[in-house]
Amino acid sequence: MGYYVQVDAGVSIYVEDVNPGSDKTILFLHGWPANHQMFEYQFNHLPQMGYRCIGWDQRGFGKSDKPWGGYDYDRLADDLRAVIEALHLQNITLAGHSTGGAIAIRYMARHGGYGVSKLALIAAAAPSLIERSYFPYGLKKEEVLTIIKGTYNDRPNMLRGFGDMFLFQHVTQAFSDWFFQLGLQAASWSTAAIANTWLNEEKLFYDLGKINVPTLILHGVHDQVCRFPLAEAQRQGIKNSKLVPFQNSGHGLFWEERYKVNTELAHFIG
């Protein structure tokens, strides 16, 4: 079932809730520039295994409202708190992909992990998506500036280019078109605003040490967006965490090795 949750004055977030009768809940946070539909291959199978799967469309993306502002990690973490409270969620597993993983980490630090008993980070954009003098593993600033420029000048072409670096395995043209359409459902200003957030000193080194729940880190070794050293830094920074490398995946392991992702999540949650 799908419904809306108001998280801020005049801002409503779209939520998809599958198998709501289960007491084993996973709340999925999508990556940039997609929406909750990117987890189609988790929502197809995990409910069959007894899990309740909830996906949100972050503000500015998918079916959610698309305000002009509010795209920093603090505001997005506050949106998540509002959704968790509105749905009366407790003892959930919070699973975030890419920027969704960064939002999950900020939520754990900013809100003390309210309602969350376990955390899953899937190709998470943390502790820094951008290369820095003290952390030389992220994307170069110029690469992100190119994404922002492309968003304002030819967003469809930018999305096609991003899709080309997203996956390690070969995909059909039909799949590529489907993923491309997910990005087009976002507002152009929201798409650019999140990319600007990566640039504006949005980093999560301090946040990692504030996570106090069991954490599963799933990451493709061929990831060209959030490179594998980011996962190793997450493992070092988060107590009680486990890193599982995906040898045949890039940034899209939720599809490229979907059976393994689903199996690892089910084993982790129990």
Side-chain angles (χ1 to χ4, degrees):
M1 69 177 66
Y3 42 83
Y4 286 88
V5 174
Q6 186 166 323
V7 297
D8 194 10
V11 178
S12 293
I13 295 296
Y14 179 77
V15 175
E16 189 77 29
D17 193 348
V18 179
N19 195 24
S22 173
D23 60 356
K24 295 189 291 185
T25 301
I26 312 171
L27 174 53
F28 289 91
L29 309 181
H30 65 84
W32 179 97
N35 53 61
H36 80 278
Q37 295 178 71
M38 68 179 287
F39 294 114
E40 175 175 327
Y41 298 90
Q42 283 64 59
F43 280 53
N44 281 346
H45 297 287
L46 289 169
Q48 297 180 37
M49 303 166 69
Y51 297 96
R52 177 186 183 186
C53 291
I54 302 174
W56 81 338
D57 288 349
Q58 172 192 309
R59 67 164 63 203
F61 295 80
K63 298 179 182 178
S64 290
D65 287 346
K66 299 171 175 62
W68 182 252
Y71 297 99
D72 61 279
Y73 287 172
D74 284 353
R75 176 64 256 177
L76 297 171
D78 293 349
D79 287 353
L80 179 58
R81 173 66 180 257
V83 169
I84 288 175
E85 287 185 341
L87 273 58
H88 307 291
L89 299 178
Q90 296 180 339
N91 298 318
I92 68 170
T93 297
L94 187 60
H97 174 264
S98 195
T99 298
I103 295 167
I105 290 170
R106 176 56 52 84
Y107 176 82
M108 297 301 293
R110 183 172 171 84
H111 292 284
Y114 175 85
V116 178
S117 60
K118 292 184 177 181
L119 176 66
L121 300 175
I122 306 170
S128 174
L129 183 66
I130 301 300
E131 179 182 271
R132 305 183 189 279
S133 60
Y134 51 88
F135 189 74
Y137 308 113
L139 296 176
K140 294 187 180 299
K141 181 178 180 180
E142 292 73 22
E143 294 178 81
V144 177
L145 289 172
T146 297
I147 287 174
I148 295 170
K149 182 179 179 179
T151 300
Y152 286 129
N153 292 318
D154 188 345
R155 185 163 67 109
N157 187 58
M158 181 280 293
L159 291 172
R160 284 293 189 192
F162 183 72
D164 289 343
M165 68 181 293
F166 198 89
L167 299 168
F168 172 68
Q169 296 188 30
H170 173 74
V171 298
T172 63
Q173 186 61 49
F175 184 94
S176 179
D177 291 344
W178 171 77
F179 188 74
F180 172 68
Q181 289 297 324
L182 298 187
L184 285 179
Q185 291 174 37
S188 57
W189 57 88
S190 308
T191 303
I194 292 293
N196 270 304
T197 294
W198 302 332
L199 288 177
N200 293 334
E201 293 299 309
E202 193 71 90
K203 47 193 181 289
L204 298 151
F205 295 94
Y206 177 72
D207 301 70
L208 296 179
K210 301 182 76 173
I211 296 172
N212 57 7
V213 300
T215 301
L216 177 66
I217 302 166
L218 309 178
H219 213 104
V221 299
H222 303 286
D223 197 327
Q224 295 302 306
V225 180
C226 298
R227 299 184 176 113
F228 193 75
L230 273 67
E232 294 173 327
Q234 294 161 29
R235 171 65 188 93
Q236 294 173 7
I238 302 173
K239 302 182 294 290
N240 195 18
S241 62
K242 175 186 177 182
L243 170 59
V244 179
F246 280 63
Q247 300 295 334
N248 297 304
S249 290
H251 198 50
L253 62 161
F254 56 87
W255 178 81
E256 294 180 280
E257 294 185 77
R258 49 200 175 277
Y259 176 79
K260 183 177 179 181
V261 167
N262 295 342
T263 301
E264 290 288 350
L265 283 172
H267 180 74
F268 174 61
I269 299 167

